[in-house]
Amino acid sequence: MTTTLPYNPKAARFLDTAFDEELSLRRTQGRQVRALADFAARGGSRRSVTEEVALRFSVTRNHAFLLVETSCALVARLPNTLAALERGDIDLYKASKVMQLTREVSDEVAAQVDAWLAKRLADRDPVSIRRSVRYAVQKFDPGGYQERATKKRALRHISLEHNDETMSTISAYLPTEVASSVYASMSRAARARRNKDKSRTLDQHRADIFGERLLAEDGHGKPRAHIHVYVDFLTLVGARNDPATLAGYGPIPDWLVREIASDPDSTWSRLITDSATGQLVEAGAGKHRSPASLARLIKARDRECTQPGCHQPAEFSEIDHIISWARDGKTNQYNCHSHCKTHNLLREEPGWSAVPTGDGGMIITTPSGHTYETAPEPLHEPRTGPEDDEPQEV
């Protein structure tokens, strides 16, 4: 038995209005694409342009890179796809699918694919468009497709993306037959467990097996995690319930950090903060500050690459001067900070500069003259009076 709702003209008008706004947004994206392509042509190297867009738009470097690459490709190589965007037939996300699958083909092949797609873009979802592009690329460039497939298989890797509520996504970029075999193996093991343990779903069993297999370093031993967590002592002992910080992820709840800390294999390092600011002033014991202890302090204070929008954990980053050694920059906690390799190289681009503001903070100036200020987050909220150190009810 089915129930049919009566026609509601008012609801239909809302939907039509929303779609009209969608068309307007798509056409605006077309104008934005042309402006970004013009900026890329005049703004310096592609690395410098990408970083400027990331800062100006407050997005990640990867997001900015995709935006710039899509804009340049649409203007220079994919005129029919750009026209579809400017008409409102597709949005920028769909246009980016055409760019991504034609970025490595020749201009001639890109033109053939773009022309073939001209009447195959409107009123289609992103997955359908992607399939059409893949078909066209293989149709017009079969030899090149096989060569690129061989190269792609050499680029296999894993990646980590942090989500909300203490969850993250780890993914593997693998040859199709390998990925399919891995998934099938985990699924078989999960079904076997599910037959004995109904308290968890098949997906939960599959995920648990995935984690166990990866963390067991000898293939069958007890999983061990290697992570950096920064927590206020009062939170650690349960007198406060402030969030802690997991490097590369961000805030995690007090109950989770205490669970991690209770593991008998956990190791500890003492961090001393300024109670008035929450900023780190010392890492480790001893009064003499050697280069090694200075590095520990800086990495603990910054926790991530200090470039706005970059969240590479500090333990995987490099420590360098804000004002360079060649310009008489001091080697101390005020003029040294954590930078991932990509953003360390950015300093060599013409027009980029930075000055320290204290405690690892800095003001960045880009080639276009825009400025951005960044500073490490305090490890805890400022405490201005003795009452702040009193245990709180939790």
Side-chain angles (χ1 to χ4, degrees), residues 130 134 145 148-159 170-186 210 213-214:
R130 188 177 183 87
R134 287 166 56 190
Y145 182 87
R148 289 188 298 276
T150 300
K151 292 180 180 179
K152 290 289 177 61
R153 295 165 80 87
L155 297 176
R156 54 194 179 274
H157 64 272
I158 63 172
S159 58
I170 186 167
S171 58
Y173 184 70
L174 296 170
T176 297
E177 71 280 6
V178 175
S180 298
S181 296
V182 168
Y183 190 82
S185 175
M186 289 189 298
F210 178 76
R213 289 182 178 180
L214 291 180

Side-chain angles (χ1 to χ4, degrees), residues 80-154:
N80 291 294
T81 306
L82 176 57
L85 176 62
E86 292 177 321
R87 286 194 304 268
D89 290 345
I90 58 174
D91 59 18
L92 188 57
Y93 178 73
K94 294 177 182 178
S96 72
K97 299 305 174 187
V98 182
M99 181 281 297
Q100 288 173 313
L101 291 172
T102 57
R103 70 198 314 172
E104 297 180 38
V105 306
S106 67
D107 289 348
E108 179 183 359
V109 172
Q112 289 177 300
V113 173
D114 182 60
W116 187 83
L117 289 171
K119 296 182 179 180
R120 294 177 169 88
L121 294 173
D123 302 321
R124 301 186 69 203
D125 64 84
V127 173
S128 298
I129 289 175
R130 188 177 183 87
R131 287 175 179 169
S132 291
V133 180
R134 287 166 56 190
Y135 173 85
V137 168
Q138 293 181 60
K139 173 182 174 66
F140 295 113
D141 189 28
Y145 182 87
Q146 182 175 358
E147 182 180 345
R148 289 188 298 276
T150 300
K151 292 180 180 179
K152 290 289 177 61
R153 295 165 80 87

Side-chain angles (χ1 to χ4, degrees), residues 14-33:
F14 285 138
L15 180 59
D16 291 341
T17 299
F19 183 69
D20 288 342
E21 295 296 339
E22 170 67 17
L23 293 178
S24 178
L25 285 171
R26 293 177 181 182
R27 292 161 185 156
T28 300
Q29 287 177 328
R31 295 192 294 273
Q32 183 188 58
V33 158

Side-chain angles (χ1 to χ4, degrees), residues 36-53 61 64-65 68-69 72 342 345-352 367-368:
L36 283 172
D38 287 341
F39 174 65
R42 297 165 176 80
S45 71
R46 186 55 53 88
R47 175 192 288 145
S48 182
V49 165
T50 297
E51 296 296 344
E52 279 225 62
V53 171
R61 181 180 184 276
F65 179 80
V68 171
E69 289 296 295
C72 292
T342 296
L345 293 173
L346 179 65
R347 301 189 318 158
E348 301 174 7
E349 294 286 344
W352 287 85
S368 64

